[in-house]
Amino acid sequence: MLNGLALHQELGNEQFIGAIYSETLTDDADTLINSNSAMRMELKIVNPDGMMIRRFSRMWIEGMAINNTNSLLTAQADNMVQFDGLFKGRLEANDHIVFAQTPGQGLSVSVNKVQLGRIADDQFFPMLLRTWVGRVPLSSTYREELLKVGNVNADLRSRYDRIQPSAARVAAVTAWTQPAEPEQEKPAVAAVKPAPKPQPTPTPAPATPVIETPKVELPKLAEETPKPEPEKPAVAARPEPKEQPRPVAATPSRQEEEEEDNEPALTAQSLLARQFYVSDLLKKIRTNVKYPRRALDRGHEGGVRISVAIDRQGNIKSMSWLEETRHDTLNKEAWEAVQRSAPFPAMPDAIPGSGFEFSAPITFALPK
C-alpha cells in the first residue's frame, strides 16, 4: 500500500517524486525502518534536465553518513560500492527507480522495470530508508509527506501515475546490464599498389615564357582580447532575501559531464573516506550554530539545507541554498554558521579531485 508520496526540490527546481509502499500504513518512521516485511522505495525523475549520476550517488552517500552509525557504514561499505556501481549512466526525466526489500533476499534495484542487480543483505534497505525518513532526511517536509498513512495529495498521485519512460529509454537502460564487448583489433593489411602502366613519351611542346604571378597575402586580423569581467565573491555575505528569485540550477556543462565520466569508481576505502569526511564537516558546522534569541522568543522553527563547495585545503569556494525556512532570522544564522566553520578540515588523501561538495542540513527545533 502507498504510505506516502513527496516531491523533492533543490534550488527551487523539482528533482523527483518519491514514494514509499509498505504492508502496514504508519506515520512513525521507526516502525517503517525496523519493519521486517516487504517494502518499496520508488522515485520518478521530474527534472527536465535529468540528474547526473554523481549528484544521485552523493545524495545516498551523504544521507547514509548522516543517518547511520560509523560501525554500520563500515559493515555495509562493500554493499554501498556495489549499489553505486549498478547505475551506468545519467538518469533522465521520467525514469522510474525502484528499491524493493524482500525479507530474506535483501534488496533488488531496478530502473524502468529493468532489474540492475540485488544486494543480498537485509540490513541495506533500512540504511537507504533512513536517508528519507531518518533523523536528518532530505527535508522535513519530504519526510512528513512520506509518513501520511496513505492520505496522499490526489493531484500529485495522479501526476506520479502518469509518468512513464519511453520505449527508447527502456532499451537504453537495458544496455546497462549487458557486458561490454572487448574491442577486437583488426589485422593490418598492407596496401598493395598496382604497378604503374607504361605511359607514352609525350612530345615536347614549344617553350613558353614563364610569367611569375605576384603573391597576394591578406593582412591577419588582430585577435580581440576579451575584457576580463570583475571577479564576484564566491560566497555571499548573507543569504538572499526571500523576495529575490531563487537561483536556478544550471544544466551541467560538457566539462562537468566529462569529469563525471572520468571520475574513478568508488572503492570501499574511498566511500568510507567520503562518508566519514562528511560527518566531520557537519560536526564542525553544528558547533557553530546558535539559536537566534529573536527566533526563540517568537517560537520560530524550521530546517535549512545549504550546498557547500570547498577546495582541498577546506576553504569555501561557493555556497548556495537548497532549502530555506520562512524565517529570515533562521536562514541568516544557518548561512553564517557555515561561514564561521571555515576553514574546514583538509580533504583526506583517499578522496580524489581538486575539491569536495556536500550539503549541510541544519534544523532549528524548540525543546518539546
Side-chain angles (χ1 to χ4, degrees), residues 23-180:
E23 291 187 344
T24 304
L25 299 180
T26 179
D27 61 357
D28 182 65
D30 289 336
T31 299
L32 281 177
I33 293 170
N34 298 320
S35 172
N36 187 27
S37 60
M39 201 178 308
R40 293 198 317 276
M41 295 170 64
E42 297 188 3
L43 61 99
K44 292 185 178 182
I45 305 294
V46 295
N47 187 334
D49 296 323
M51 198 171 187
M52 292 177 68
I53 287 298
R54 180 167 55 186
R55 173 171 290 188
F56 186 73
S57 173
R58 198 177 79 207
M59 178 180 72
W60 299 110
I61 290 174
E62 288 184 2
M64 287 187 175
I66 299 169
N67 290 286
N68 294 280
T69 63
N70 285 356
S71 59
L72 190 54
L73 292 174
T74 303
Q76 293 291 329
D78 289 332
N79 286 335
M80 183 64 199
V81 171
Q82 180 186 347
F83 171 82
D84 187 73
L86 295 176
F87 300 89
K88 305 295 185 183
R90 179 189 182 87
L91 295 174
E92 302 289 350
N94 301 328
D95 276 349
H96 181 196
I97 299 97
V98 177
F99 309 128
Q101 170 182 263
T102 304
Q105 298 181 30
L107 166 78
S108 68
V109 180
S110 66
V111 175
N112 300 336
K113 298 185 178 179
V114 178
Q115 183 162 326
L116 302 184
R118 180 178 292 277
I119 310 290
D121 190 327
D122 286 351
Q123 297 302 312
F124 192 74
F125 182 84
M127 292 182 67
L128 287 178
L129 187 56
R130 287 188 188 96
T131 66
W132 279 9
V133 298
R135 184 173 52 88
V136 186
L138 294 177
S139 72
S140 55
T141 303
Y142 189 77
R143 173 173 53 187
E144 290 170 4
E145 294 300 318
L146 292 174
L147 299 175
K148 282 290 189 178
V149 200
N151 185 24
V152 300
N153 180 284
D155 291 337
L156 188 62
R157 174 68 185 271
S158 176
R159 179 185 176 189
Y160 184 81
D161 290 341
R162 290 196 306 270
I163 297 173
Q164 299 292 335
S166 66
R169 182 57 184 163
V170 172
V173 173
T174 303
W176 294 359
T177 64
Q178 307 302 318

